[in-house]
Amino acid sequence: MQILVIGSGGREHAVIKALKKSPKVDALYCCPGNGGIAADATCIPIKATDIEGVVAFAKEKAIDLVFVTPDDPLVMGMVDALEEAGIRAFGPRKNAAILEGSKVFSKNLMKKYGIPTAAYETFDDPQKAIAYIENFNRYPIVIKADGLALGKGVLIAGSFGEAREAVKSIMEDKAFGQSGNHIVVEEFLEGVEVSVLAFTDSKTVCPMPSSMDHKRAFDGDQGLNTGGMGTICPNPLYTPAIAQRCQKEIFEPTIAAMAKEGRPFRGVLYFGLMLTEKGPYVIEYNCRFGDPETQVILPLLKTDLVEIIEAVEKGTLSQLDIQWEDAAAACVILASGGYPQSYEKGLPISGLDAHGQADGVTIYHAGTALADGGYKTAGGRVLGVTAVAPTLREALDAAYAAAGKIDFPKKQFRTDIGAKALS
Ligand code: AMP
Ligand code: GLY
């Protein structure tokens, strides 16, 4: 098979490395990829959101399967366009990707089908939203832009003043563009956050091992929200009893609801969960693999990823016994100084070769470019250093040891990834 992967981050690098292990794969392409991905796949300079460009390239190369990884092309309908052109694609169609593409849609779906989620109201008029918040009068309160916003469209307001500012910035100043035409205002949930990703063919839902992301830029969950500064897998706070409850109360009902709505979901569905005193609640759905969750989940996958993709396509997931390593994985993100705000690019990276080969350690490239024979920084999140080991403690130690040997000017990373899970 010739497989084309869409995207350019550490998550895509992890997908490519997993596909590379499959005996069914002859050639791997990536649009657009990055400096490090180029060592594992042929990178083609076509943007991940260029649907026409991707379809034309896939036709020209007679690509057998396109793996659409990021949210924007999925929400824009890249899978539909590929299928219309007679090209096989992995990922939900546009009418199912709306589960991530519109928070108003996903909240209304959960309400309609009794799936536990924070109490909420939706608004398209800022004055009505502000009046509702004033009347509700409980803080913190959560204000969410309806559409995609690079993971930044959720604002948590500690007071009425902050909430009013949040509504204004999303709906009037259009801080997230048209994504803020509608908003969700919802109750603040307290608890422990867990990410669970699942393969689904729209009938069967097979959860992968759970994970924990670290969204804030700095240690102790300080600083701005980022795309994710590190992950661990599995998440020890997600016990087998909670998993069973989530399967029955959240995962299966979500898949059944989407099928009933005429929007069968096929691909990877990401459940962002809050484990509260009252039980597990859904914070959000993503219609795809997470980044950097993928960098700790796929290294533990024993089953051939292509076999899973084919079972999703054929609707035979119930017949597949997906196997995972009985081990732990940790990923530490090395970011550019200043991320998630402004940062420099083009800085030389050293120490990559010596440590890529350390036992159980894999270095996933996120924002790197190959120039003058060496790797240079080319994005906010630069590298994801993952280690797999028998225990979480060992995985974290190995990931930090490897991360410590890699250097570039103004390297920024968290030193407390997984700490909450160890205590
Ligand atoms: P999202 O983009 O929907 O994942 O939200 C980003 C982050 O905001 C989540 O990871 C949570 O930490 C936080 N968050 C979102 N909704 C809520 C809520 N209802 N209560 C508490 N925290 C929330
Ligand atoms: N790490 C969170 C996400 O991929 O949305």
Side-chain angles (χ1 to χ4, degrees):
M1 283 174 89
Q2 297 203 90
I3 302 186
L4 167 62
V5 175
I6 307 301
S8 63
R11 165 184 58 193
E12 285 74 10
H13 200 187
V15 167
I16 283 168
K17 282 200 183 281
L19 291 171
K20 215 178 162 183
K21 287 199 266 178
S22 170
K24 298 187 181 193
V25 173
D26 300 313
L28 283 167
Y29 294 89
C30 189
C31 288
N34 63 42
I37 289 177
D40 294 301
T42 306
C43 293
I44 309 293
I46 296 174
K47 278 208 272 179
T49 48
D50 179 356
I51 294 184
E52 274 176 31
V54 165
V55 171
F57 174 77
K59 271 193 186 161
E60 177 197 317
K61 276 279 170 201
I63 295 290
D64 297 291
L65 177 82
V66 182
F67 191 124
V68 186
T69 328
D71 48 3
D72 13 355
L74 288 166
V75 170
M76 286 163 66
M78 185 178 280
V79 168
D80 309 54
L82 286 161
E83 287 178 350
E84 278 159 28
I87 301 157
R88 286 163 61 195
F90 181 69
R93 290 186 188 149
K94 185 177 179 173
N95 73 352
I98 191 175
L99 207 45
E100 174 167 4
S102 167
K103 289 189 195 289
V104 171
F105 172 86
S106 65
K107 293 296 290 190
N108 289 343
L109 183 93
M110 287 186 268
K111 188 189 257 179
K112 181 170 170 188
Y113 290 90
I115 297 164
T117 192
Y120 73 100
E121 291 293 333
T122 65
F123 298 93
D124 55 16
D125 174 346
Q127 292 318 318
K128 285 189 183 151
I130 290 168
Y132 169 81
I133 291 166
E134 193 164 24
N135 185 43
F136 189 74
N137 198 30
R138 259 183 278 157
Y139 302 96
I141 192 162
V142 185
I143 295 139
K144 301 184 170 185
D146 177 43
L148 297 180
L150 297 169
K152 296 180 192 157
V154 173
L155 302 175
I156 297 176
S159 64
F160 176 65
E162 275 179 38
R164 192 176 47 201
E165 282 313 303
V167 171
K168 279 196 174 141
S169 98
I170 297 176
M171 300 194 85
E172 287 173 2
D173 307 341
K174 301 278 185 219
F176 310 110
Q178 301 306 312
S179 287
N181 290 350
H182 303 269
I183 60 166
V184 172
V185 176
E186 72 178 29
E187 152 200 37
F188 180 79
L189 296 174
E190 270 183 85
V192 173
E193 276 187 65
V194 177
S195 311
V196 180
L197 284 66
F199 293 107
T200 176
D201 59 6
S202 90
K203 295 177 291 189
T204 302
V205 55
C206 300
M208 306 178 209
S210 60
S211 53
M212 179 192 284
D213 192 7
H214 298 70
K215 290 202 195 236
R216 301 294 197 96
F218 305 123
D219 283 9
D221 293 330
Q222 300 296 307
L224 292 173
N225 263 327
T226 69
M229 292 298 289
T231 37
I232 57 158
C233 174
N235 183 335
L237 306 170
Y238 186 72
T239 61
I242 296 172
Q244 224 174 15
R245 202 167 157 187
C246 289
Q247 183 74 15
K248 290 289 162 229
E249 293 177 14
I250 295 173
F251 307 158
E252 288 172 3
T254 300
I255 293 308
M258 289 297 281
K260 192 141 186 249
E261 293 290 313
R263 300 170 181 274
F265 192 104
R266 291 186 206 90
V268 171
L269 182 50
Y270 173 130
F271 298 89
L273 305 173
M274 184 75 89
L275 309 181
T276 74
E277 277 184 353
K278 289 192 281 174
Y281 278 61
V282 177
I283 299 181
E284 63 158 349
Y285 294 114
N286 293 325
C287 62
R288 51 171 176 84
F289 268 114
D291 188 344
E293 286 83 351
T294 311
Q295 293 91 309
V296 284
I297 295 172
L298 286 183
L300 299 178
L301 178 64
K302 288 206 285 192
T303 304
D304 182 345
L305 181 56
V306 176
E307 254 184 66
I308 302 174
I309 292 171
E310 289 182 334
V312 167
E313 285 182 302
K314 290 188 207 130
T316 55
L317 211 44
S318 64
Q319 293 160 38
L320 192 67
D321 182 20
I322 302 174
Q323 298 286 320
W324 301 92
E325 299 283 351
D326 183 15
C331 175
V332 176
I333 297 291
L334 301 181
S336 298
Y339 174 73
Q341 290 174 298
S342 61
Y343 50 82
E344 242 176 281
K345 291 184 191 174
L347 303 171
I349 307 171
S350 63
L352 277 173
D353 292 346
H355 311 292
Q357 288 95 18
D359 241 11
V361 171
T362 309
I363 296 163
Y364 297 110
H365 288 240
T368 69
L370 205 47
D372 313 324
Y375 290 109
K376 302 262 188 330
T377 64
R381 290 188 290 177
V382 178
L383 298 161
V385 183
T386 293
V388 173
T391 65
L392 176 61
R393 172 86 267 168
E394 291 163 294
L396 283 164
D397 287 348
Y400 273 113
K405 290 170 189 164
I406 298 168
D407 205 18
F408 51 86
K410 302 183 190 158
K411 172 174 98 169
Q412 173 186 318
F413 64 102
R414 279 182 62 159
T415 66
D416 65 347
I417 300 303
K420 262 191 270 182
L422 288 172
S423 56

